[in-house]
Amino acid sequence: MTLYRTAFGGETFRFGSLRETLAAATPLRSGDELAGIAAASETARVAAQAVLADLPLTTFLSEAVIPYETDEVTRLIFDSHDDAAFAPVRSMTVGGFRDWLLSDAATPAQVTALAPGLTPEMVAATAKLMRNRDLISAARKAPVTAAFRTTLGLPGRIGSRLQPNHPSDDLQGIAAGILDGLTYGVGDAVIGINPATDNIPNAIALIEMLDELRQRYEIPTQSCVLTHITNAIEIMARGAPIDLVFQSVAGTEAANDGFGVSLSVLDEAYDAALSLGRGTTGQNVMYFETGQGSALSADAHHGVDQQTLEARAHAVARRYRPLLVNTVVGFIGPEYLYDGKQIIRAGLEDHFCGKLLGLPMGVDVCYTNHAEADQNDMDVLMTLLADAGVTFLIAVPGSDDIMLNYQSLSFHDIVYLRNTFGLRAAPEFEAWLERVGLIDASGHLLESDAPTRALIAGAA
C-alpha cells in the first residue's frame, strides 16, 4: 500500500492509502465525521487535496479503495474499464484533469467520449478539488440522452418525475396527484410511485392503474412502481405491464447485499425488462436511485468516504444503460448530510460524477424534517442544478411527500425552472401537453382550466 504525504503549513501530513487520502480531501460532511474518516482539520483537508491534485489518474487503475478479491463492485469497475476511451487523459494528474475539464479545450463531445474510460474514483477525486461553480460548469459539458417513450437529456430540456405517493396506496388519491402534476406539465421522465406496502399484489394493482391511466389519455411517458427488483422479476413473469424496473443501489457489494440485490439479480431483471420491448423511442428500461450515506448507514463502507462510494454506485448503474438515475441527496438524514450547505454540495457532486460517468443523472432535491435545512436551500440547489444541465428532478404535490415524510420539490418548482431558464419538457411529452391544451407553442402553461376539467372528467 502506498503512503501519501505532503508538507503543508509547516507540518508534514501522511495518508496511509488512496482510500485515506480521498476521505481526508472530501469537503466537510457529517457522515464522514460519523465514520471517523474525515480530515482532522481544515489544514489537513487542504493538504490531502494537494496530494490528490498531484496524483496521476493512472493511480486509480493500480490501487483499489476496496479489494478486488472481496467486492464485486470493484471487480465491475476494473473489468469494464475502457482503456481506449481513457487514452486522451491517461497522462494527466487529477488536478490536471480538473483544469482541462474547466478549460475551453474540453468540448462536450470530448468529455462525453471519456465516460467509459473514467472510473468512479477518478471522478470523485476530481470533484473534491472543485468549487460548486466548477461542478456546475463541468457537468454542463457532459450531456447524456436516454429514451423509452420520451427522450430525456436533450439540450434545452429538463425532465421531471411525477411522484404521487399516498400513505395507504389509495388508487383514487394517487390518481388525483397524477392529474394535478400533469396540469403543471410534470411527468415526462416518469410517473413513479413508492408503494406504502411493498408486496407483489399491491404493486400489480398500482402498475395496472398507472398503465390504464397512461393509455386512456395517450400520455407519452413511462410509469414505474418502485417495488423491490425481485418483486419486479416475478411481476414481469406474471405478465403485468411494467415499463421500468427500479432498484436502489450502493457502491459496495456489502451495501447492495443489504438492499437485497447483487449484480446477477440486476442482470436478470435487466434482461427480462428488455425482452418486453415496451419502449417506443428507446429501450433504456432501468431506473436507479442512489444517495450519499447508504453504505455507511448499512455499516458497509469499508472506510471509504461517502462521496466516493456514491460515485461507485453510479458505476453499478452505468452497467445497465438506465433511463433514469437520481440521487436522493438529502433523504437519508442529517447524520450523513447535516445541513443545507452540505446537501447543496452533495447534490452538485453527485450530478457531476454521474454525468461524467455517462449517466442520465437526476436529483431528488430533498431534506428530512430533522435536518438543518429548509425550502430556501432547496430553491438554491434546484436552480443550480438547472444551470448544470440536470436531466430530471422529482416533484411531489405541495413539495411534501405525505407517505415518505420528507420534503422535496413541488410541481410549481418545475414550472419555475422551465420559465426561468427557458427549458422545456421532453419533446414527445411536450407535444402531448400542447395537443391537450395544457401549454402553448412556446411551452408555457395556459391559464385556462378547461383542460384540467377535461382530465378530471375523464378520470371520473
Side-chain angles (χ1 to χ4, degrees):
M1 192 69 70
T2 304
L3 177 67
Y4 300 92
R5 70 177 75 193
T6 187
F8 190 85
E11 298 180 68
T12 298
F13 293 88
R14 296 176 177 84
F15 308 100
S17 64
L18 180 59
R19 179 178 63 244
E20 290 182 23
T21 306
L22 288 165
T26 306
L28 179 66
R29 65 208 57 202
S30 53
D32 292 340
E33 290 183 308
L34 178 65
I37 60 175
S41 66
E42 286 299 323
T43 304
R45 181 170 292 109
V46 174
Q49 289 170 345
V51 170
L52 206 56
D54 290 336
L55 283 184
L57 289 176
T58 52
T59 304
F60 298 93
L61 300 178
S62 60
E63 184 174 344
V65 297
I66 302 173
Y68 181 94
E69 297 77 15
T70 60
D71 187 271
E72 69 173 1
V73 177
T74 300
R75 292 193 291 275
L76 169 64
I77 291 165
F78 277 81
D79 294 349
S80 63
H81 180 255
D82 187 329
D83 201 57
F86 179 58
V89 296
R90 169 175 284 276
S91 63
M92 294 184 186
T93 62
V94 176
F97 181 53
R98 170 204 176 272
D99 293 346
W100 176 78
L101 282 174
L102 297 174
S103 73
D104 292 338
T107 67
Q110 291 172 317
V111 175
T112 301
L114 286 175
L118 299 176
T119 70
E121 292 84 356
M122 289 177 192
V123 298
T126 305
K128 297 175 196 298
L129 304 182
M130 289 182 159
R131 289 167 51 184
N132 287 358
R133 68 159 194 183
D134 301 333
L135 296 168
I136 294 168
S137 177
R140 287 177 63 90
K141 294 185 177 184
V144 180
T145 59
F148 189 76
R149 292 193 188 96
T150 57
T151 306
L152 304 175
L154 294 171
R157 309 273 176 173
I158 188 170
S160 56
R161 170 184 163 188
L162 200 171
Q163 182 171 300
N165 295 340
H166 193 282
S168 64
D169 289 333
D170 179 78
L171 296 183
Q172 286 188 321
I174 290 171
I178 294 171
L179 295 174
D180 186 24
L182 291 172
T183 63
Y184 286 95
V186 173
D188 55 334
V190 66
I191 301 173
I193 302 170
N194 299 86
T197 303
D198 190 12
N199 60 51
I200 290 174
N202 188 55
I204 289 176
L206 292 169
I207 288 165
E208 290 178 341
M209 183 274 288
L210 284 174
D211 197 60
E212 193 277 331
L213 186 148
R214 178 187 63 81
Q215 292 192 63
R216 177 188 300 186
Y217 293 107
E218 300 180 324
I219 309 169
T221 191
Q222 37 283 329
S223 65
C224 184
V225 172
L226 281 65
T227 188
H228 192 271
I229 197 166
T230 53
N231 288 346
I233 291 170
E234 174 60 24
I235 289 167
M236 286 186 283
R238 295 187 187 186
I242 281 185
D243 288 342
L244 305 181
V245 171
F246 168 83
Q247 182 58 44
S248 294
V249 292
T252 72
E253 179 178 346
N256 283 324
D257 185 61
F259 283 142
V261 70
S262 64
L263 295 181
S264 62
V265 171
L266 291 170
D267 288 347
E268 180 183 357
Y270 177 59
D271 290 342
L274 276 179
S275 72
L276 300 179
R278 290 176 57 81
T280 54
T281 62
Q283 293 297 327
N284 299 115
V285 295
M286 303 297 282
Y287 178 12
F288 295 108
E289 281 191 343
T290 63
Q292 290 194 28
S294 59
L296 174 58
S297 69
D299 194 25
H301 60 97
H302 302 284
V304 181
D305 69 273
Q306 61 187 37
Q307 188 254 330
T308 299
L309 289 178
E310 168 73 5
R312 284 170 56 95
H314 297 168
V316 174
R318 178 171 63 175
R319 173 180 173 91
Y320 302 98
R321 300 185 298 111
L323 178 73
L324 305 168
V325 181
N326 69 260
T327 169
V328 283
V329 64
F331 181 75
I332 303 180
E335 300 83 2
Y336 308 97
L337 296 169
Y338 178 71
D339 57 14
K341 182 176 182 179
Q342 292 187 12
I343 292 171
I344 290 167
R345 172 71 190 186
L348 295 175
E349 289 171 343
D350 297 351
H351 177 252
F352 163 81
C353 290
K355 283 294 184 64
L356 256 69
L357 290 170
L359 294 177
M361 196 70 194
V363 178
D364 189 354
V365 177
C366 63
Y367 62 101
T368 57
N369 291 313
H370 62 308
E372 291 294 321
D374 60 26
Q375 213 66 35
N376 287 320
D377 296 313
M378 302 306 104
D379 288 349
V380 171
L381 179 53
M382 71 177 180
T383 303
L384 295 176
L385 286 166
D387 190 30
V390 70
T391 302
F392 76 103
L393 298 171
I394 291 177
V396 307
S399 76
D400 184 3
D401 191 305
I402 59 174
M403 191 278 281
L404 292 174
N405 293 311
Y406 78 116
Q407 308 303 310
S408 186
L409 300 183
S410 72
F411 302 147
H412 304 75
D413 292 324
I414 302 303
V415 177
Y416 151 74
L417 293 172
R418 286 179 176 156
N419 290 345
T420 300
F421 289 91
L423 300 170
R424 303 173 75 149
E428 301 88 352
F429 189 77
E430 183 183 64
W432 176 80
L433 291 172
E434 185 176 359
R435 186 170 69 251
V436 298
L438 288 168
I439 64 170
D440 60 23
S442 64
H444 290 90
L445 290 177
L446 293 171
E447 295 297 325
S448 170
D449 63 355
T452 303
R453 292 199 304 269
L455 285 175
I456 294 172

